[in-house]
Structures are given as structure tokens and as C-alpha cells.
Amino acid sequence: MSHDPDRSDSPESPSRRGALGAFGALSAAPLMGLTGQAHAAESIWAEQYDAFDYAAARGCALIPRETAGPYPLSSVLDDDEMMRRDITEGRPGVPLTLTLKLVNVNKACAPISNAAVYIWCTDKDGVYSGYQQPGHDTRGQTFMRGIQISDAKGAVHFDLVYPGWYPGRITHIHFQVFLNADTGGTATATSQLAFPQSVTKTVYASPLYAAKGQNTSVSDFAHDGVFSDGVSLQKAKMKGSVELGYSAKLMVGVAA
């Protein structure tokens, strides 16, 4: 397998992929102004999402465990300001509303409420906050990071922009789940969300992303160091457009 720049050798990082057991291993201004329209689309879709039995359609399965990568910035887990829905910090890009629905695989995929979910990803240019990276020093910044607590339906919602890409990885979002809203403990689930390639290509051809363009380093999931063994449980269901913004949803099976 080729070198994976998103893999961490830290002893605290989860292994490549495996079932999570009960042990719980763990300007942009015009587009950003469309966030309200994205919310309206989200409200309409939310009714359809809740009405559909994803557990029955897909099977009640654990989300695959993935590496947290080299840019988790776990120090923000103690920061109350990270408890936020809008994680853009004014960063430009195509608006994206993300919904993760947590379900308990040990209870026929019943919703998991009161769990803390931490997500992080790059900005539209493929840059993470909080670290020194090739050509960028974002130490002290926290854009595209946030925490939300799951509601009675097991859902958390985040407003961000469609992530960019960087050499060696396909477009993705990292996330961790902490049961009982305990971000000071060990994450019960650490995984990554994948995007439909057709949507990613459309976004990267749009004006705000055109300067960098398409991902020239990883052309598809089969050549990605993390998703090469499949994304059936990690690929988001999406609606929307570049003009109006996108909504992405994923059911996350956890052994609670």
C-alpha cells in the first residue's frame, strides 16, 4: 500500500480499520449567504430522512473504525467554544450542512441521545486548522472543527463548507463519538465520512474551487489509503447543488 499522509503512528490513534466492539476502543460571501437556503432544504429533507428506516435498508452495522490522522487537535475537546453548529469561522466555500445520526447497534439501531460528536476537516483549499502544514501555518486557529450533542433522534448538525483536498487523500471528514457527552474520555467511535465522487467533481469545478481544481493525487476510492476497502457504510447521502449548497447525511452505527 502506498504511503498514507493521513495515517498517525501515535499509540492513541485507532488502528486502520476494524469493527468497534462493546469495549468501545476507543468571494465566497455570495455563496456563504446561501446558508439559509441550505437550512430550508435541510428541513424538508429531515422529514424524509427520519421517515426512512435506514437500519432496515442498510442493515444495522457498526461504522468502520478509521485513523484520526495527524491533525485531530484533540486539545479543543476541552474548549467550550467548540460547542457550535457553524464551524466555518467565515471560511469561504460551497455551503454544506452535515447531519450524523447515531444509532445503537446493540439495540436494533435505536437512536443514541446525549453523545458528543467532534468533527474536523479541511477548508476549501485542503488546509487543516491548528497545525503547520506544507505552505500553511494555521497554529492557533480552529476553523472547520466543532462539537455537537446528539438530540432525542440521535442527530447532530453542523454547518461548514465542502472540504477541499490535499495530496494523498480523497475528500473526507473526520469524526469521533463520545457517549454520555464525555469528551474527556475515550472515543467510542472514530471514523471518516466519504462523499459521492460525482458531487465532489462538480464542486471542484465550481468558481471557488476551480483554481486548485480536481484531485490529481487520488482519483477514486480504490486508490485511497483509507477508503480502498470500501465506503458503503461511510458514504454520505447528499442533496443540493453548488448554487444552493448541499446537505449530507450519514447514519453512524455505534456499540453503546
Side-chain angles (χ1 to χ4, degrees):
M1 181 178 294
S2 60
H3 171 65
D4 176 9
D6 202 26
R7 191 180 304 283
S8 173
D9 294 326
S10 166
E12 296 181 356
S13 299
S15 60
R16 162 67 185 88
R17 181 188 288 264
L20 288 171
F23 58 86
L26 210 209
S27 166
L31 277 176
M32 291 303 294
L34 294 170
T35 303
Q37 296 180 53
H39 284 176
E42 172 199 354
S43 297
I44 295 173
W45 193 21
E47 298 177 3
Q48 300 171 346
Y49 182 75
D50 290 335
F52 191 81
D53 188 349
Y54 279 94
R58 195 185 68 173
C60 194
L62 285 165
I63 192 75
R65 185 173 61 189
E66 304 289 7
T67 174
Y71 304 116
L73 200 65
S74 299
S75 59
V76 302
L77 292 172
D78 298 323
D79 186 349
D80 291 339
E81 293 186 0
M82 288 295 99
M83 195 67 65
R84 58 189 185 176
R85 171 168 175 155
D86 185 341
I87 66 174
T88 62
E89 294 189 7
R91 240 37 190 198
V94 171
L96 174 66
T97 296
L98 171 65
T99 297
L100 298 178
K101 186 170 184 179
L102 310 183
V103 296
N104 188 350
V105 299
N106 291 331
K107 293 186 177 180
C109 273
I112 298 175
S113 61
N114 195 40
V117 179
Y118 169 43
I119 74 165
W120 68 100
C121 63
T122 72
D123 64 6
K124 75 174 183 66
D125 298 314
V127 178
Y128 284 101
S129 63
Y131 290 87
Q132 187 167 10
Q133 300 142 84
H136 301 275
D137 187 350
T138 60
R139 288 175 292 183
Q141 300 182 57
T142 56
F143 58 83
M144 301 303 160
R145 299 179 186 274
I147 302 169
Q148 288 281 270
I149 305 298
S150 60
D151 61 21
K153 295 181 179 180
V156 292
H157 308 280
F158 294 92
D159 296 326
L160 55 156
V161 300
Y162 205 95
W165 63 274
Y166 55 93
R169 282 305 316 277
I170 209 162
T171 309
H172 61 283
I173 293 177
H174 293 269
F175 63 90
Q176 291 183 314
V177 178
F178 299 84
L179 297 179
N180 302 313
D182 181 15
T183 55
T186 300
T188 302
T190 298
S191 194
Q192 297 181 28
L193 175 148
F195 292 91
Q197 278 295 85
S198 59
V199 176
T200 297
K201 290 178 179 178
T202 297
V203 171
Y204 289 173
S206 67
L208 287 176
Y209 296 74
K212 188 170 185 178
Q214 303 297 329
N215 189 337
T216 57
S217 67
V218 182
S219 59
D220 52 40
F221 297 125
H223 293 90
D224 184 71
V226 171
F227 294 136
S228 59
D229 50 359
V231 293
S232 62
L233 297 176
Q234 294 162 277
K235 188 164 65 174
K237 296 180 179 295
M238 298 193 67
K239 297 281 188 181
S241 66
V242 167
E243 294 75 21
L244 297 178
Y246 287 93
S247 291
K249 297 183 184 292
L250 182 70
M251 188 176 77
V252 178
V254 177

